[in-house]
Amino acid sequence: MQCELCGRECSCRPAMVDGVKMMVCPGCMKHGKGIAVQEVSPSRSRPILNRIRRPKEKDVYKDMDKELVSNWSGVIKKARQKKGLSREELGFKIGERTVTISKIENGDLRPSDKVATKLEKELEINLFEEVSKPPSYATGGSGSRGGLTLGDFIKKE
Ligand SMILES: [Zn+2]
């Protein structure tokens, strides 16, 4: 086969030269853009997509967390009454003030993880549930924590 640019006998390859598809020799290839070799095949691009998606799935597992059940105040109050304990007695058992127990049972005070764990043991209840948290930047903050969300930190950078 002859090179369409210089006429040399060679193993020519198709290339775009000034927008025209021509068969050119390796020496003339620099004048144009190779076609066949550089075409992106769909089978090659797919694994790259998968590689991008994988970390996202990992993040979902990372966000698996334990959260207080939504009706924790009621659960605690019921369990305490079932045990026949007064608020004073329960507070004494877990080392918290009576007023703290009252506030928790009224839903005015969200028990800390530490207090909740003690309540769980003392009352033989389950106050935590496994939840898959949506990314905090997507929810805009539920307001329950009142602090900065991860999203706020990202925005500041
Ligand atoms: Zn040539």
Side-chain angles (χ1 to χ4, degrees), residues 3 6 25 28:
C3 172
C6 65
C25 69
C28 292

Side-chain angles (χ1 to χ4, degrees), residues 72-91 93 98 101-102 104-106 119 122-125:
W72 42 268
S73 55
V75 171
I76 293 165
K77 191 174 187 176
K78 256 191 201 167
R80 177 182 59 77
Q81 288 168 342
K82 211 174 154 193
K83 287 257 173 193
L85 293 168
S86 69
R87 285 172 176 176
E88 288 82 359
E89 285 169 325
L90 178 62
K93 276 175 179 284
T98 310
I101 304 297
S102 301
I104 289 172
E105 286 189 359
N106 289 331
L119 285 166
E122 195 57 47
L123 299 172
E124 294 168 56
I125 52 173

